[in-house]
Amino acid sequence: MIIAVVLLAIFAAIVALAVARQAKAQEAGPDRQAFRDLYEELIETNTTLSEGSCTLASERMAARLLAAGYPASDVRVLVPTERPKDGNLAAVLRGADPTAAPLLLLAHIDVVEAKREDWERDPFTLVEENGYFYARGAQDDKAQAAIWVDTLIRLKAGGFTPRRDIKIALTCGEETSDTFNGVSWLLAHHRDALQAGFALNEGARGRLDAQGHRIALEIQAGEKIYQDYRLEIENPGGHSSRPVPDNAIYRLSAALTRLGAHTFPTEPNEAVKAYFAALATTNPTHAADMRAIGAGDPRQMQAAAMRLSGADPAWNAVLRTTCVATMVDAGHAPNALPQSAVANVNCRILPGHDPRTIQAELERVLADPGIAVTIPGNIDPTSPPPPLSPDIVDPIRRVAGELWPGVPVVPSMSPGATDGRFTNAAGIPTYGVTGLFADPDGGGVHGLNERIRARSLYEGRDFLFELVKIYAN
């Protein structure tokens, strides 16, 4: 009798689980499952610089667009002859008005390197676990790249004819732009693939608190300038049994200590002021300081900025230029005085400042004329932030208000760098808009065990689909 009851309970649990799964599948529908399959294929196509192929990823996404009914003339995989693995996908849904400026949907498909032995799961296998998707690129930036391809497929399937052309560009090399950058290459060789009245890109996300509650949805208008500086000091060296005070490692270390103690001035631009003013309504603990930044009152701003900077490194990053030592290399033998010491200092520079001016400031702060400060590689283009006009902001507020009532939409400036620095400089106003809400720790982007909430991915997909339809008309 007891065995029968136990078996009956187990059977009932199995039936309940099956019914729940069926209900979930019906709720998601074949449309969402198709998107998940697309996302999985893109995630599991390795696109790291060392071993991957953006060309293969582009070809696979192009095949999906062709299968959806796009003509081959509107779907192109554009590959540099000298870099056969660094291909880029360009596609277009034609609009009814050829005089209307196109809308560009931009995302990069290359990803940061990831070692299997460091991760809890295979970084190049999509794993869904405890409400999260785990994989390299799960957020950055294959979530939005998959959404753009999916959006074009859904629009085609629904017979949607936009007023303006809708272009997508999935590009390679955003993460390793010193080696190759697909957007720069397309601007130089296939500008028609990117030319648009404005573009939507990565860079701003929704903010979640530690419990997963939505705090705010960000719109990125502008970003800081990425710039590396090489610091090098040389010395005659000698035998380590006869040390002298003039030591290359000591001098470079002392200079880096001075840099670590240096704080660049507080300079919130209009986007940052608006960001803190809006965020004040969601954060009682720091509301007064946030309002002080938003008001731009110089009598209160400096003290408020110091408190906010100490509370959250992300807030510090948007209030000022930052420079930090990221790599060092010194000495040539364990039993010899060092003949040289080298460091890399990575700066994220506020818009409006020339990297050469920051170079001069570094020389002043380091305070050692024996340390040469140089700029390796090229200086990225700079441009003022694009305007946050009602034509841009109002549709975002409208769609966000329908999906997430009560969640404020706030402007922001990205402390990192995106391909928007190239498109903005080329005269294509580019806005970071994703609708993808992320955990407070950033979800492991560029680090171990990168993740995104499944809920966030699917909601972001719905948000961007509706937003694109509004912008397109």
Side-chain angles (χ1 to χ4, degrees):
M1 182 66 178
I2 295 176
I3 295 176
V5 171
V6 171
L7 291 174
L8 184 61
I10 293 173
F11 177 75
I14 292 172
V15 170
L17 181 61
V19 170
R21 285 178 174 171
Q22 183 177 13
K24 184 177 180 180
Q26 289 173 347
E27 177 187 355
D31 168 77
R32 178 180 290 186
Q33 184 59 47
F35 167 67
R36 190 194 186 285
D37 293 343
L38 184 159
Y39 177 61
E40 182 175 34
E41 181 177 42
L42 186 56
I43 287 287
E44 296 188 355
T45 304
N46 187 329
T47 51
T48 57
L49 178 64
S50 62
E51 299 180 2
S53 172
C54 289
T55 300
L56 178 59
S58 295
E59 290 170 345
R60 287 175 170 174
M61 295 301 102
R64 288 181 175 270
L65 292 173
L66 294 172
Y70 282 85
S73 58
D74 289 341
V75 180
R76 297 179 290 167
V77 176
L78 303 171
V79 186
T81 303
E82 66 280 11
R83 302 191 66 85
K85 291 186 177 182
D86 293 339
N88 310 268
L89 173 63
V92 59
L93 174 61
R94 301 290 176 182
D97 183 359
T99 66
L103 165 63
L104 173 64
L105 309 179
L106 179 64
H108 69 88
I109 51 176
D110 63 305
V111 296
V112 172
E113 302 288 340
K115 296 180 180 179
R116 175 64 187 92
E117 59 270 23
D118 295 338
W119 283 52
E120 294 178 16
R121 306 160 191 85
D122 184 346
F124 300 105
T125 298
L126 184 66
V127 176
E128 186 173 3
E129 185 178 297
N130 298 325
Y132 286 90
F133 287 116
Y134 291 86
R136 174 58 84 218
Q139 274 199 70
D140 187 15
D141 184 28
K142 290 184 174 180
Q144 192 164 31
I147 288 171
W148 290 149
V149 176
D150 172 75
T151 294
L152 256 62
I153 291 173
R154 293 169 73 189
L155 292 176
K156 174 68 78 172
F160 179 77
T161 300
R163 173 173 167 263
R164 67 181 79 243
D165 287 357
I166 303 175
K167 297 180 178 180
I168 68 167
L170 306 188
T171 63
C172 195
E174 192 270 354
E175 302 290 6
T176 53
S177 58
D178 284 346
T179 301
F180 170 79
N181 180 264
V183 168
S184 295
W185 182 79
L186 288 171
L187 286 169
H189 300 280
H190 299 278
R191 190 182 177 95
D192 63 298
L194 300 180
Q195 191 60 49
F198 65 104
L200 305 184
N201 185 34
E202 64 164 339
R205 301 187 182 274
R207 292 173 63 94
L208 298 172
D209 64 18
Q211 290 72 45
H213 302 134
R214 303 176 191 88
I215 299 175
L217 177 65
E218 298 180 358
I219 314 170
Q220 178 192 317
E223 58 189 62
K224 296 175 82 173
I225 304 164
Y226 177 108
Q227 188 61 61
D228 286 314
Y229 296 89
R230 178 182 171 88
L231 281 51
E232 183 171 11
I233 183 169
E234 296 182 346
N235 189 285
H239 201 286
S240 62
S241 65
R242 301 175 61 187
V244 295
D246 186 14
N247 182 294
I249 292 178
Y250 294 160
R251 287 177 62 181
L252 183 62
S253 298
L256 290 175
T257 299
R258 289 190 287 273
L259 177 61
H262 177 70
T263 300
F264 284 83
T266 301
E267 298 180 81
N269 58 27
E270 292 308 309
V272 172
K273 290 177 184 178
Y275 168 75
F276 280 110
L279 207 61
T281 63
T282 71
N283 193 314
T285 303
H286 302 287
D289 288 337
M290 289 178 172
R291 283 194 291 268
I293 298 295
D297 184 348
R299 294 170 300 177
Q300 302 180 34
M301 193 167 62
Q302 294 300 325
M306 292 305 294
R307 287 189 291 268
L308 290 172
S309 295
D312 190 331
W315 294 341
N316 177 66
V318 298
L319 286 168
R320 57 177 52 84
T321 291
T322 61
C323 291
V324 60
T326 56
M327 299 176 68
V328 292
D329 183 21
H332 61 285
N335 59 349
L337 301 177
Q339 295 175 358
S340 69
V342 178
N344 185 85
V345 169
N346 178 250
C347 295
R348 305 300 175 112
I349 305 169
L350 288 174
H353 290 275
D354 189 320
R356 297 176 187 85
T357 303
I358 302 302
Q359 180 181 11
E361 177 68 359
L362 288 176
E363 291 172 343
R364 186 191 69 80
V365 173
L366 296 173
D368 188 333
I371 298 175
V373 181
T374 57
I375 297 177
N378 299 320
I379 296 177
D380 284 342
T382 61
S383 58
L388 284 172
S389 66
D391 288 342
I392 294 295
V393 176
D394 288 351
I396 297 173
R397 294 190 191 280
R398 173 180 156 190
V399 179
E402 293 171 355
L403 286 173
W404 309 296
V407 176
V409 175
V410 300
S412 69
M413 177 191 67
S414 173
T418 76
D419 280 331
R421 67 193 190 274
F422 301 111
T423 49
N424 275 312
I428 305 168
T430 302
Y431 301 91
V433 184
T434 67
L436 300 169
F437 283 79
D439 291 339
D441 66 357
V445 169
H446 285 209
L448 296 177
N449 308 309
E450 183 178 346
R451 69 188 189 279
I452 186 172
R453 290 176 184 255
R455 180 192 73 182
S456 294
L457 179 66
Y458 292 133
E459 288 181 351
R461 172 186 181 242
D462 293 338
F463 169 79
L464 289 174
F465 180 72
E466 296 301 326
L467 186 64
V468 166
K469 288 195 294 183
I470 295 173
Y471 283 147
N473 284 329

mmCIF file of all heavy atoms in Angstrom, residues 248-263:
data_model
loop_
_atom_site.group_PDB
_atom_site.id
_atom_site.type_symbol
_atom_site.label_atom_id
_atom_site.label_comp_id
_atom_site.label_asym_id
_atom_site.label_seq_id
_atom_site.Cartn_x
_atom_site.Cartn_y
_atom_site.Cartn_z
ATOM 1 N N ALA A 248 65.735 51.202 -11.811
ATOM 2 C CA ALA A 248 64.622 51.434 -12.736
ATOM 3 C C ALA A 248 63.289 50.973 -12.143
ATOM 4 O O ALA A 248 62.259 51.646 -12.283
ATOM 5 C CB ALA A 248 64.885 50.724 -14.059
ATOM 6 N N ILE A 249 63.303 49.833 -11.446
ATOM 7 C CA ILE A 249 62.048 49.317 -10.873
ATOM 8 C C ILE A 249 61.556 50.233 -9.756
ATOM 9 O O ILE A 249 60.369 50.558 -9.681
ATOM 10 C CB ILE A 249 62.248 47.878 -10.352
ATOM 11 C CG1 ILE A 249 62.472 46.923 -11.525
ATOM 12 C CG2 ILE A 249 61.047 47.438 -9.531
ATOM 13 C CD1 ILE A 249 62.738 45.489 -11.117
ATOM 14 N N TYR A 250 62.472 50.683 -8.885
ATOM 15 C CA TYR A 250 62.066 51.557 -7.792
ATOM 16 C C TYR A 250 61.501 52.870 -8.326
ATOM 17 O O TYR A 250 60.491 53.380 -7.829
ATOM 18 C CB TYR A 250 63.245 51.852 -6.866
ATOM 19 C CG TYR A 250 63.776 50.653 -6.119
ATOM 20 C CD1 TYR A 250 65.054 50.662 -5.574
ATOM 21 C CD2 TYR A 250 62.999 49.508 -5.937
ATOM 22 C CE1 TYR A 250 65.560 49.575 -4.875
ATOM 23 C CE2 TYR A 250 63.491 48.413 -5.244
ATOM 24 C CZ TYR A 250 64.767 48.445 -4.726
ATOM 25 O OH TYR A 250 65.255 47.367 -4.048
ATOM 26 N N ARG A 251 62.168 53.427 -9.332
ATOM 27 C CA ARG A 251 61.716 54.725 -9.857
ATOM 28 C C ARG A 251 60.355 54.603 -10.536
ATOM 29 O O ARG A 251 59.480 55.460 -10.353
ATOM 30 C CB ARG A 251 62.759 55.295 -10.808
ATOM 31 C CG ARG A 251 63.999 55.801 -10.095
ATOM 32 C CD ARG A 251 65.046 56.305 -11.053
ATOM 33 N NE ARG A 251 64.595 57.444 -11.856
ATOM 34 C CZ ARG A 251 65.340 58.034 -12.785
ATOM 35 N NH1 ARG A 251 66.577 57.577 -13.034
ATOM 36 N NH2 ARG A 251 64.867 59.057 -13.468
ATOM 37 N N LEU A 252 60.165 53.531 -11.309
ATOM 38 C CA LEU A 252 58.867 53.360 -11.962
ATOM 39 C C LEU A 252 57.784 53.080 -10.918
ATOM 40 O O LEU A 252 56.672 53.609 -11.005
ATOM 41 C CB LEU A 252 58.922 52.223 -12.982
ATOM 42 C CG LEU A 252 57.624 51.995 -13.775
ATOM 43 C CD1 LEU A 252 57.263 53.220 -14.607
ATOM 44 C CD2 LEU A 252 57.747 50.769 -14.674
ATOM 45 N N SER A 253 58.110 52.276 -9.906
ATOM 46 C CA SER A 253 57.146 51.971 -8.849
ATOM 47 C C SER A 253 56.741 53.234 -8.100
ATOM 48 O O SER A 253 55.553 53.440 -7.797
ATOM 49 C CB SER A 253 57.725 50.956 -7.869
ATOM 50 O OG SER A 253 58.021 49.740 -8.509
ATOM 51 N N ALA A 254 57.699 54.083 -7.800
ATOM 52 C CA ALA A 254 57.394 55.326 -7.084
ATOM 53 C C ALA A 254 56.498 56.226 -7.925
ATOM 54 O O ALA A 254 55.559 56.847 -7.412
ATOM 55 C CB ALA A 254 58.690 56.042 -6.714
ATOM 56 N N ALA A 255 56.779 56.265 -9.205
ATOM 57 C CA ALA A 255 55.966 57.099 -10.098
ATOM 58 C C ALA A 255 54.537 56.557 -10.193
ATOM 59 O O ALA A 255 53.563 57.330 -10.195
ATOM 60 C CB ALA A 255 56.609 57.168 -11.472
ATOM 61 N N LEU A 256 54.392 55.237 -10.278
ATOM 62 C CA LEU A 256 53.064 54.634 -10.350
ATOM 63 C C LEU A 256 52.296 54.837 -9.050
ATOM 64 O O LEU A 256 51.073 54.994 -9.059
ATOM 65 C CB LEU A 256 53.173 53.147 -10.684
ATOM 66 C CG LEU A 256 53.636 52.816 -12.104
ATOM 67 C CD1 LEU A 256 53.811 51.312 -12.254
ATOM 68 C CD2 LEU A 256 52.641 53.346 -13.137
ATOM 69 N N THR A 257 53.022 54.862 -7.926
ATOM 70 C CA THR A 257 52.368 55.145 -6.645
ATOM 71 C C THR A 257 51.814 56.567 -6.641
ATOM 72 O O THR A 257 50.701 56.819 -6.152
ATOM 73 C CB THR A 257 53.347 54.959 -5.482
ATOM 74 O OG1 THR A 257 53.801 53.599 -5.469
ATOM 75 C CG2 THR A 257 52.689 55.279 -4.151
ATOM 76 N N ARG A 258 52.565 57.506 -7.205
ATOM 77 C CA ARG A 258 52.071 58.881 -7.309
ATOM 78 C C ARG A 258 50.835 58.933 -8.214
ATOM 79 O O ARG A 258 49.865 59.655 -7.928
ATOM 80 C CB ARG A 258 53.169 59.805 -7.834
ATOM 81 C CG ARG A 258 54.287 60.054 -6.823
ATOM 82 C CD ARG A 258 55.225 61.158 -7.284
ATOM 83 N NE ARG A 258 56.100 60.730 -8.376
ATOM 84 C CZ ARG A 258 57.266 60.138 -8.230
ATOM 85 N NH1 ARG A 258 57.717 59.837 -7.001
ATOM 86 N NH2 ARG A 258 58.005 59.818 -9.276
ATOM 87 N N LEU A 259 50.854 58.167 -9.282
ATOM 88 C CA LEU A 259 49.688 58.133 -10.178
ATOM 89 C C LEU A 259 48.483 57.535 -9.458
ATOM 90 O O LEU A 259 47.356 58.034 -9.600
ATOM 91 C CB LEU A 259 50.011 57.313 -11.434
ATOM 92 C CG LEU A 259 48.851 57.128 -12.423
ATOM 93 C CD1 LEU A 259 48.367 58.468 -12.950
ATOM 94 C CD2 LEU A 259 49.277 56.216 -13.573
ATOM 95 N N GLY A 260 48.714 56.476 -8.669
ATOM 96 C CA GLY A 260 47.614 55.848 -7.948
ATOM 97 C C GLY A 260 46.957 56.788 -6.958
ATOM 98 O O GLY A 260 45.758 56.646 -6.651
ATOM 99 N N ALA A 261 47.714 57.759 -6.456
ATOM 100 C CA ALA A 261 47.167 58.710 -5.485
ATOM 101 C C ALA A 261 46.516 59.911 -6.160
ATOM 102 O O ALA A 261 45.902 60.741 -5.478
ATOM 103 C CB ALA A 261 48.276 59.187 -4.551
ATOM 104 N N HIS A 262 46.635 60.000 -7.473
ATOM 105 C CA HIS A 262 46.124 61.173 -8.199
ATOM 106 C C HIS A 262 44.665 60.969 -8.590
ATOM 107 O O HIS A 262 44.282 59.889 -9.063
ATOM 108 C CB HIS A 262 46.958 61.409 -9.459
ATOM 109 C CG HIS A 262 46.470 62.547 -10.305
ATOM 110 N ND1 HIS A 262 46.586 63.866 -9.907
ATOM 111 C CD2 HIS A 262 45.858 62.560 -11.520
ATOM 112 C CE1 HIS A 262 46.079 64.639 -10.845
ATOM 113 N NE2 HIS A 262 45.627 63.876 -11.828
ATOM 114 N N THR A 263 43.871 61.994 -8.420
ATOM 115 C CA THR A 263 42.472 61.982 -8.846
ATOM 116 C C THR A 263 42.261 63.091 -9.856
ATOM 117 O O THR A 263 42.580 64.262 -9.586
ATOM 118 C CB THR A 263 41.520 62.190 -7.648
ATOM 119 O OG1 THR A 263 41.722 61.140 -6.698
ATOM 120 C CG2 THR A 263 40.075 62.186 -8.108
#
